[in-house]
Amino acid sequence: MQVKSLQASPEQLKDLEDKPQPVAAEFLGTLLLVFFGVGAAVLAAEYVGSLGIALTFGFVMLALAYAIGPVSGSHLNPAVTLGMFLAGRLDLELAVKYWVAQLVGGIAGAALLLLVAKQVPGLQTSETFGSNGFGDRSAVHINTGGAFVAELVLTFLFVYTVLAVTHKVAVVGFDGLPIGIALAVVHLVGIPLTGTSVNPARSLGPAIFAGGAALTQLWLFIVAPLVGGAIAAYVHVLTHPQPNRRPRREMRVS
């Protein structure tokens, strides 16, 4: 049985690095993910509930996987990009470009959402605004350790799914379906616990505009997802054949 390579070729990586479209796609995709996903929590939670918020994140991710997946891989998440980098599918230079685009896109999406939210009379945004939290900012008052473990495990599932169903860099065929489902599932579990981050870019934008405790607790929603994404990359190597994987020192884009 022939096993498909999970390793991006130097030609594919060079093609991504030489063109602005992948980075622009990551910016736009993250902006839209934050605007619609967090927007469901900020503007429509009373009407759609936790299930509706989870499905919004999942469906938006699914749509964007098909819309921009063939262009950039539709990471839209620094934890996913870290997993792809550690799995040997991205060059460090391109990974850094993706991280910058995702973080700026998350802030821009939150800013656009704030502009809409301010037009709704009586809507509270200070220290809330769809930001993530633990302790008294959690629906179930989960403590710091519990929140860290929860975010780590939830991110692990999501990033592991992305790595397992995709080949090389691009999202093709039916790859987007399990990715969207995985994001919806982790939100179903995570919303009562922390509001569900699993994505530092998703957490950064709302926290900046919420201020207060949302900012002081932000560190956990950056560190835990990145740790979860890194673990997912290494576990994926153990569970899936990597016939053409090369040592990172040999990976060059000329």
Side-chain angles (χ1 to χ4, degrees), residues 199-247:
N199 183 343
R202 172 262 182 268
S203 296
L204 176 64
I208 287 175
F209 296 106
L215 274 176
T216 61
Q217 294 185 352
L218 177 62
W219 67 270
L220 187 145
F221 303 104
I222 295 175
V223 176
L226 292 177
V227 173
I231 294 174
Y234 286 112
V235 172
H236 178 263
V237 171
L238 298 177
T239 59
H240 288 68
Q242 312 282 320
N244 295 326
R245 183 179 174 84
R246 294 167 295 164

Side-chain angles (χ1 to χ4, degrees), residues 93-140:
E93 182 179 349
L94 182 59
V96 171
K97 291 178 180 178
Y98 272 28
W99 285 326
V100 172
Q102 291 156 0
L103 294 174
V104 175
I107 294 171
L112 185 60
L113 177 60
L114 181 66
L115 178 63
V116 174
K118 288 297 186 181
Q119 314 312 310
V120 180
L123 184 65
Q124 176 70 25
T125 58
S126 177
E127 295 196 30
T128 54
F129 194 53
S131 57
N132 303 112
F134 51 88
D136 59 2
R137 301 188 69 250
S138 161
V140 297

Side-chain angles (χ1 to χ4, degrees), residues 158-198:
F158 180 62
V159 176
Y160 182 81
T161 300
V162 173
L163 291 171
V165 303
T166 57
H167 296 282
K168 300 180 180 178
V169 178
V171 176
V172 297
F174 291 100
D175 294 350
L177 189 59
I179 293 172
I181 291 173
L183 189 59
V185 167
V186 299
H187 274 81
L188 285 173
V189 175
I191 286 174
L193 301 177
T194 62
T196 310
S197 170
V198 304

Side-chain angles (χ1 to χ4, degrees), residues 51-62:
L51 176 60
I53 297 170
L55 290 177
T56 300
F57 271 101
F59 284 143
V60 171
M61 188 72 231
L62 175 60

Side-chain angles (χ1 to χ4, degrees), residues 40-41 44-53 56:
E46 179 182 352
Y47 307 100
V48 301
S50 295
L51 176 60
I53 297 170
T56 300

